[in-house]
């Protein structure tokens, strides 16, 4: 396809049309007519944790309840974990590994599982939990009967606001956790002088001591200790912490007693909370107090401005408009309307941006990665210990990082991987006699890499492989060759070394993993027993294929390690092929077993379709059809009953380009698996479903996994008009798209590096013009309706359809 240069008048008309497509939507959004809303709001305070609103700076988080008479802020600091780093390898593992394999190959999985439970599972078999710091309580005098109450989380500024009227005065709170100054800030004001009167205290359920230090000053000191029945073998020690509270009044009088500090008759006040732990500081008290010293000379306006500037540097990279919403209806009531079958595309857009907000608030460079609950956990013995579960959940946390223009926030996951590699090398050598490193289905603050919990989930040595592939994704979206050479390739190579030593002959000419399992699912063996342990589950093979392929590609790009590359290629060529079973489904195991739980929440064998790319709709149509049948069979049997499972289903339907089916599952996610504060409900709360839902919506609008940039590949019929700005595609391209009446009108591409890109228009459309910096450009036709476009870094390309 070749275009002549446009004359001046024609170019101006075209540019007017392009800008109008986006500007008209922006104008509508300003008038409250589109779905790019940015507020969660309520007419009442939170009565439970599941209604409280999250704040966070990546390290220090809070859940704000907003009660007029008694504010509660439940506080977390990301490094408050029980336990310690220790050798958890089962001393019987190395000598029994080959016997477990033999039993599996001989068709004796029950005996294999029994032996593996005794000899392969870690000692102790659990990892220590992530724990809360405690609670900040602020009690206000004579605020028991508020009127005109309003509570909101502003996603555009990352500030929680509470306002109400009590007596003849209006009161307002603004609460945020600032990354710029590393403190939680609570601003209390009234439109009447002398009306700010309150007392404040810090509490924790156990293992802590509160100290009142003087007028307006108190602290809480403690240690994370696992005392529950699941952790009887854990040492009664953990990370020590200190939290500091400071009240800065404007007028009024500060007083204190044995366990609280008070302020009477002030015009306004700012309350600060800081925290530090022994994980990062030799003296948590000194470090926590230093945070407060650093903000004492700053005004509230300065603190708020620095916080908003820092936060908006991430959040405002993207906009999403999905059509009319109901911004005048409280968020919890909107959820109830969705449950009643009322469409609300504006709420869907809000949910999308809430996912981005949560990632910004729980995962910053130089912080820890987001756990199963991000950084928000109120329980000393939380479900699944609020760890890093890496057989889907932790990976899903980071699915939106690249495509939703938050690439830097991926870094904590890479740090988590680096941290666990040290123990992973020892586990690989000691348990498996292998080079490289291995991480099983969980890790924690201490970087443990052993198989835990039991054979039902723990004997899955592919967690490190999956995490390593996230490094490749970061490279693919940024095309940073220094990062590829310095961090991606060395890590993937080490993960591949483990696989080369771990894979074994299956007697049929193939190399398979094992002992392993298809995460948390079971099969019915020929003797009728229901078991999980096996050799060569499909997901393992898919992950191994992906890792080997990325190692080969990286080695070629960097022109290094040719002998190792050939070794990896030879092993990849001997992996079993993906197979179709008796129902036309993609087989989950090497044998076509029956499933005792056909509606299982995991869809692990569909990894090759999403988030992987070994199966694509056009490249491998037969396998894509088999994957679809697998998904349909899962759904018919009730799968998707957990929030994160539903989110994975959205992503799979998007990859199959079934926009309406993907949207059905967005609605189901909101109606069945979303709490009043929009947090995901497993149940209980798990944050992965939020992140997976956001990523799935992005996949519906833009895909780039198949070596091409596909515009609106799974646009549902209900999103009739809208636009998105700031999505990212592989190949380091930032993209805006607008559509109307369900059809694309214009796309704008901003490449960060030079290169040729294949562009795929939506089904039934074709690309009519490409304008680069005011001039029409030549494109080349490619097979399947694709267009090849040569792009230069720093240029802007307007595409019309």
């Amino acid at each position: 396809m070749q275009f002549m240069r446009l004359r001046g008048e024609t170019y101006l008309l075209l540019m007017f049309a392009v800008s109008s497509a986006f500007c008209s939507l922006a104008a509508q959004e300003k008038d409250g007519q589109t779905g790019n809303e940015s507020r969660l709001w309520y007419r009442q305070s939170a009565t439970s944790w599941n209604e409280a609103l999250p704040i966070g700076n990546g390290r220090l988080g809070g859940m704000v309840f907003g009660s007029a008479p008694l504010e509660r802020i439940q506080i977390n600091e990301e490094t408050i974990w029980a336990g310690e780093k220790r050798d958890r390898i089962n001393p019987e593992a190395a000598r029994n590994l080959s016997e477990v394999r033999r039993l599996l190959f001989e068709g004796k999985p029950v005996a294999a599982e029994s032996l593996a439970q005794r000899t392969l599972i870690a000692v102790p078999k659990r990892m220590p939990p992530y724990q809360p710091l405690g609670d900040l309580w602020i009690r206000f005098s004579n605020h028991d009967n508020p009127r005109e109450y309003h509570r909101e989380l502003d996603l555009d500024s990352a500030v929680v606001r509470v306002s109400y009227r009590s007596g003849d005065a209006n009161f307002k709170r603004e609460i945020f956790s600032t990354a710029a100054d590393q403190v939680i800030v609570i601003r209390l004001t009234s439109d009447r002088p002398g009306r700010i009167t309150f007392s404040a205290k810090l509490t924790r359920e156990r293992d802590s001591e509160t100290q009142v230090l003087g007028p307006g000053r108190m602290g809480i000191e403690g240690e994370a200790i696992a005392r529950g029945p699941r952790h009887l073998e854990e040492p009664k020690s953990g990370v020590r912490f200190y939290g500091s509270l400071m009240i800065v009044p404007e007028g009024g009088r500060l007083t204190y007693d044995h366990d609280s500090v008070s302020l009477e008759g002030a015009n306004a006040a700012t309350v600060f909370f800081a925290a530090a732990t022994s994980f990062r500081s030799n003296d948590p008290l000194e470090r926590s107090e230093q945070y407060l010293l650093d903000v004492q000379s700053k005004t509230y306006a300065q603190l708020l401005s620095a916080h908003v500037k820092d936060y908006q540097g991430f959040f405002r990279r993207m906009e999403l408009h999905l059509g009319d919403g109901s911004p005048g209806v409280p968020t919890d009531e909107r959820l109830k309307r969705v449950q009643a079958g009322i469409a609300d595309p504006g709420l869907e857009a809000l949910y999308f941006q809430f996912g981005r907000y949560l990632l910004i608030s729980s995962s910053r460079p130089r912080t820890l990665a987001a756990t199963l609950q991000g950084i928000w956990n109120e329980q000393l013995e939380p479900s699944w210990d609020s760890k890093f579960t890496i057989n889907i959940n932790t990976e899903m946390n980071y699915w939106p990082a690249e495509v939703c223009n938050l690439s830097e926030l991926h870094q904590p996951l890479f740090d988590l991987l680096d941290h666990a590699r040290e123990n992973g090398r020892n586990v690989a050598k000691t348990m498996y006699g292998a080079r490289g490193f291995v991480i099983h289905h969980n890790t924690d603050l201490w970087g443990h890499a052993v198989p835990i919990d039991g054979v039902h989930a723990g004997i899955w040595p592919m967690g490190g492989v999956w995490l390593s592939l996230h490094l490749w994704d970061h490279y693919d979206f940024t095309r940073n060759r220094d990062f590829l050479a310095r961090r991606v390739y060395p890590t993937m190579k080490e993960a591949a070394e483990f696989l080369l030593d771990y894979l074994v002959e299956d007697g049929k000419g193939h190399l398979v993993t094992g002992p392993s399992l298809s995460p948390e699912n079971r099969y019915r063996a020929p003797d009728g027993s229901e078991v999980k342990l096996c050799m060569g589950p499909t997901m393992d093979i898919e992950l191994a294929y992906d890792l080997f392929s990325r190692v080969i590609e990286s080695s070629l790009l960097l022109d290094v390690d040719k002998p190792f590359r050939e070794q990896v290629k030879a092993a990849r060529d001997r992996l079993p092929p993906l197979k179709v079973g008796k129902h036309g489904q993609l087989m989950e195991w090497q044998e076509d077993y029956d499933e005792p739980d056909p509606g299982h929440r995991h869809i692990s064998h569909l990894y090759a379709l999403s988030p992987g790319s070994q199966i694509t709709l056009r490249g491998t149509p037969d396998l894509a059809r088999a994957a679809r049948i697998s998904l349909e069979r899962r759904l018919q049997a009730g799968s998707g009953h957990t929030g994160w499972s539903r989110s994975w289903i959205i992503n799979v339907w998007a990859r199959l380009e079934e926009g309406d089916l993907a949207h059905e599952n967005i609605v189901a996610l909101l109606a069945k698996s979303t709490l009043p504060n929009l947090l995901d409900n497993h149940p209980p709360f798990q944050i992965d479903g939020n992140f997976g839902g956001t990523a799935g919506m992005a996949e519906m609008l833009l895909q780039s996994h198949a070596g091409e940039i596909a515009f609106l590949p799974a646009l549902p019929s209900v999103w009739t008009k809208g636009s998105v700005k700031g999505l990212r595609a592989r190949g380091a391209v930032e993209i805006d798209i607008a559509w109307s009446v369900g059809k694309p009108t214009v796309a704008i591409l901003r490449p960060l590096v030079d290169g040729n890109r294949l562009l795929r228009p939506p089904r039934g459309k074709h690309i009519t013009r490409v304008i680069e910096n005011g001039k029409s450009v030549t494109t080349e036709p490619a097979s399947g309706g694709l267009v090849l476009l040569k792009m230069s870094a720093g240029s802007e390309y307007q595409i019309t359809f």
Side-chain angles (χ1 to χ4, degrees):
M1 190 183 303
Q2 195 167 8
F3 301 119
M4 297 178 61
R5 180 172 302 199
L6 298 175
R7 297 184 182 274
E9 292 180 0
T10 307
Y11 171 71
L12 289 174
L13 287 171
L14 177 59
M15 291 302 99
F16 176 77
V18 169
S19 62
S20 295
F22 289 101
C23 291
S24 63
L25 285 161
Q28 292 172 27
E29 187 257 339
K30 185 177 180 181
D31 293 335
Q33 297 175 6
T34 73
N36 195 45
E37 305 159 45
S38 61
R39 291 188 310 140
L40 287 69
W41 75 274
Y42 307 83
R43 291 194 176 104
Q44 70 286 329
S45 62
T47 59
S48 70
W49 195 92
N50 290 338
E51 298 174 359
L53 295 173
I55 57 172
N57 63 12
R59 179 185 71 89
L60 187 61
M63 294 293 288
V64 182
F65 284 65
S67 170
L70 180 61
E71 178 64 88
R72 176 192 176 193
I73 303 176
Q74 184 267 310
I75 299 172
N76 291 96
E77 202 281 347
E78 64 172 358
T79 60
I80 298 177
W81 289 64
E84 62 186 13
K85 188 170 185 176
R86 59 188 290 190
D87 183 3
R88 297 170 183 267
I89 299 174
N90 193 316
E92 300 295 318
R95 69 173 65 100
N96 285 281
L97 176 66
S98 60
E99 178 64 9
V100 173
R101 283 175 172 159
R102 184 188 68 80
L103 290 169
L104 289 171
F105 276 131
E106 290 182 1
K108 302 174 182 177
V110 174
E113 286 190 351
S114 177
L115 180 62
Q117 181 67 40
R118 298 193 308 272
T119 64
L120 301 187
I121 293 298
V123 181
K125 69 177 184 178
R126 300 295 295 249
M127 289 180 185
Y130 171 51
Q131 293 189 343
L133 185 152
D135 291 276
L136 167 59
W137 305 86
I138 305 177
R139 182 175 294 280
F140 297 88
S141 298
N142 301 318
H143 290 201
D144 292 332
N145 298 299
R147 308 185 308 278
E148 301 172 29
Y149 181 92
H150 181 92
R151 177 172 60 107
E152 70 172 39
L153 168 59
D154 183 350
L155 300 182
D156 188 53
S157 63
V159 175
V160 169
R161 298 184 182 91
V162 177
S163 62
Y164 55 89
R165 187 168 181 82
S166 182
D168 62 349
N170 294 306
F171 295 88
K172 183 178 180 181
R173 304 172 199 166
E174 290 188 319
I175 306 170
F176 56 89
S177 182
T178 168
D181 290 286
Q182 290 297 311
V183 293
I184 290 175
V185 182
I186 305 150
R187 178 66 172 171
L188 306 171
T189 60
S190 174
D191 63 352
R192 296 285 181 131
R195 296 298 182 88
I196 301 298
T197 296
F198 65 88
S199 64
K201 66 191 306 183
L202 295 167
T203 65
R204 191 175 194 262
E205 186 178 335
R206 66 172 192 242
D207 304 318
S208 68
E209 180 181 350
T210 300
Q211 306 159 336
V212 176
L213 307 174
R217 295 285 284 106
M218 69 185 306
I220 183 170
E221 185 174 21
E223 186 173 5
I225 299 176
R227 299 186 184 275
R230 299 198 308 262
H231 299 99
L232 296 177
E233 298 176 86
E234 284 297 328
K236 298 304 177 251
S237 62
V239 173
R240 294 176 292 105
F241 62 87
Y242 192 88
S244 304
L245 179 75
M246 177 174 68
I247 301 172
V248 178
E250 296 176 21
R253 184 169 70 97
L254 287 169
T255 61
Y256 62 95
D257 58 24
H258 71 286
D259 68 348
S260 65
V261 290
S262 301
L263 175 62
E264 299 176 10
N267 300 321
T270 306
V271 182
F272 298 96
F273 183 83
T277 77
S278 59
F279 187 77
R280 289 201 175 107
S281 173
N282 292 328
D283 190 337
L285 186 155
E286 180 182 21
R287 187 69 191 95
S288 180
E289 291 291 299
Q290 186 62 50
Y291 285 131
L292 294 187
L293 284 173
D294 292 342
V295 299
Q296 278 186 335
S297 62
K298 300 180 181 181
T299 67
Y300 174 73
Q302 289 172 327
L303 292 164
L304 178 62
S305 176
H307 162 69
V308 171
K309 181 180 179 182
D310 165 78
Y311 169 79
Q312 288 182 345
F314 295 102
F315 186 76
R316 286 193 170 181
R317 295 175 184 177
M318 275 201 68
E319 295 179 16
L320 178 63
H321 310 258
L322 291 180
D324 294 342
S326 303
V329 178
T331 304
D332 52 342
E333 295 181 23
R334 294 174 74 175
L335 274 175
K336 291 177 182 177
R337 290 185 177 194
V338 171
Q339 292 166 0
I342 300 173
D344 191 344
L347 183 62
E348 295 164 15
L350 184 68
Y351 186 89
F352 174 89
Q353 290 287 35
F354 183 58
R356 295 183 68 246
Y357 167 83
L358 291 173
L359 192 58
I360 298 168
S361 301
S362 64
S363 182
R364 293 290 193 98
R366 296 175 298 280
T367 71
L368 299 182
T371 73
L372 284 170
Q373 281 75 31
I375 54 173
W376 300 280
N377 163 45
E378 72 165 340
Q379 298 177 330
L380 293 171
E381 301 287 336
S383 299
W384 306 285
D385 301 315
S386 193
K387 300 187 300 295
F388 306 103
T389 300
I390 56 175
N391 65 6
I392 174 57
N393 313 91
T394 300
E395 288 87 354
M396 184 178 285
N397 285 358
Y398 288 88
W399 286 0
E402 302 294 341
V403 68
C404 292
N405 215 331
L406 298 172
S407 186
E408 305 96 312
L409 307 189
H410 218 158
Q411 295 290 340
L413 186 69
F414 310 151
D415 295 340
L416 176 72
L417 175 58
D418 284 347
H419 186 49
R421 280 167 67 194
E422 179 184 351
N423 186 244
R425 294 182 185 113
N426 185 42
V427 175
K429 180 180 179 180
T430 304
M431 277 192 68
Y432 296 101
R435 298 169 295 162
F437 73 95
V438 59
I439 315 174
H440 291 80
H441 91 298
N442 267 273
T443 187
D444 59 8
L445 177 75
W446 311 105
H448 291 124
V450 288
I452 63 164
D453 294 345
V455 294
H456 65 281
I459 308 295
W460 188 72
M462 303 299 287
V465 172
W466 197 349
L467 292 180
S468 298
L469 289 167
H470 274 252
L471 288 162
W472 172 267
D473 285 342
H474 183 71
Y475 163 73
D476 208 7
F477 276 90
T478 62
R479 296 301 168 94
N480 183 331
R481 288 181 66 92
D482 176 68
F483 182 77
L484 177 67
R486 176 176 47 85
R487 201 162 187 184
V488 181
Y489 181 68
T491 303
M492 292 197 306
K493 179 181 178 181
E494 200 174 351
E497 287 174 334
F498 169 75
L499 283 183
L500 291 174
D501 292 347
Y502 174 65
L503 290 165
V504 294
E505 301 266 359
D506 69 348
K508 303 174 184 177
H510 297 121
L511 296 175
V512 296
T513 59
S516 188
L517 49 80
S518 187
E520 303 184 32
N521 200 7
R522 65 188 190 275
Y523 63 93
R524 184 171 289 112
D527 65 359
S529 58
E530 296 180 6
V531 289
K532 293 186 176 180
L533 218 54
C534 66
M535 299 297 294
T538 295
M539 188 190 198
D540 284 16
I541 304 306
E542 294 168 340
L543 283 165
Y545 185 94
D546 266 10
L547 180 70
F548 286 163
S549 297
R550 302 315 183 204
V551 168
I552 292 166
E553 188 172 355
S554 299
S555 172
L556 288 168
L557 286 168
L558 298 171
D559 193 21
V560 295
D561 284 344
K562 183 178 179 181
F564 184 73
R565 181 169 72 236
E566 294 301 321
Q567 185 182 4
V568 169
K569 186 177 183 301
R572 186 186 67 175
D573 290 345
R574 295 189 62 196
L575 293 173
L578 301 182
K579 294 181 284 188
V580 178
K582 57 191 173 187
H583 303 291
Q585 88 286 6
L586 185 69
M587 284 169 48
E588 190 165 354
W589 299 273
Q590 291 304 309
E591 303 298 328
D592 196 5
Y593 296 121
D594 289 332
E595 299 178 68
D597 183 9
H600 196 266
R601 61 194 177 279
H602 284 259
I603 48 175
S604 303
H605 54 313
L606 302 190
Y607 163 86
L609 177 62
S610 177
S613 57
Q614 189 178 346
I615 296 176
T616 62
L617 199 58
R618 296 170 184 84
T620 57
D622 292 340
L623 290 175
R625 189 177 306 111
R628 178 182 184 126
I629 291 172
S630 290
L631 179 59
E632 289 171 341
R633 286 174 56 81
R634 277 284 205 273
L635 289 171
Q636 288 165 4
S639 185
H641 49 276
T642 69
W644 63 262
S645 178
R646 183 70 64 182
S647 291
W648 198 349
I649 290 164
I650 295 168
N651 282 268
V652 172
W653 280 129
R655 288 285 177 91
L656 292 171
E657 299 185 9
E658 291 286 0
D660 286 340
L661 293 174
H663 184 263
E664 282 182 17
N665 284 275
I666 293 173
V667 173
L669 179 64
L670 289 170
K672 300 177 181 180
S673 299
T674 300
L675 297 166
N677 55 11
L678 293 192
L679 289 176
D680 173 67
N681 196 16
H682 180 281
F685 159 60
Q686 268 187 210
I687 205 167
D688 38 23
N690 287 104
F691 295 134
T694 291
M697 294 172 71
E699 286 281 322
M700 294 163 70
L701 300 173
L702 181 75
Q703 293 178 18
S704 59
H705 62 286
E708 60 193 44
I709 296 173
F711 303 99
L712 306 181
L715 185 70
S717 56
V718 295
W719 293 352
T720 57
K721 184 176 184 178
S723 70
V724 62
K725 292 185 178 182
L727 283 171
R728 293 288 293 272
R730 292 167 182 82
V733 185
E734 187 172 293
I735 297 175
D736 307 338
I737 312 171
W739 65 93
S740 183
V741 199
K743 299 177 181 179
T745 53
V746 65
I748 298 175
L749 281 64
R750 293 177 291 276
L752 303 180
V753 297
D754 296 343
N756 296 331
R757 277 82 172 184
L758 284 169
L759 309 181
R760 179 177 294 280
R763 191 181 293 114
K765 304 294 290 184
H766 63 278
I767 293 172
T768 57
R769 290 189 183 91
V770 179
I771 305 297
E772 178 188 6
N773 300 331
K775 298 179 180 179
S776 63
V777 296
T778 299
T779 63
E780 297 179 20
S783 61
L786 297 171
V787 166
L788 180 66
L789 177 62
K790 183 177 181 181
M791 303 175 74
S792 300
S795 292
E796 182 172 282
Y797 298 82
Q798 288 97 13
I799 297 174
T800 54
F801 300 91

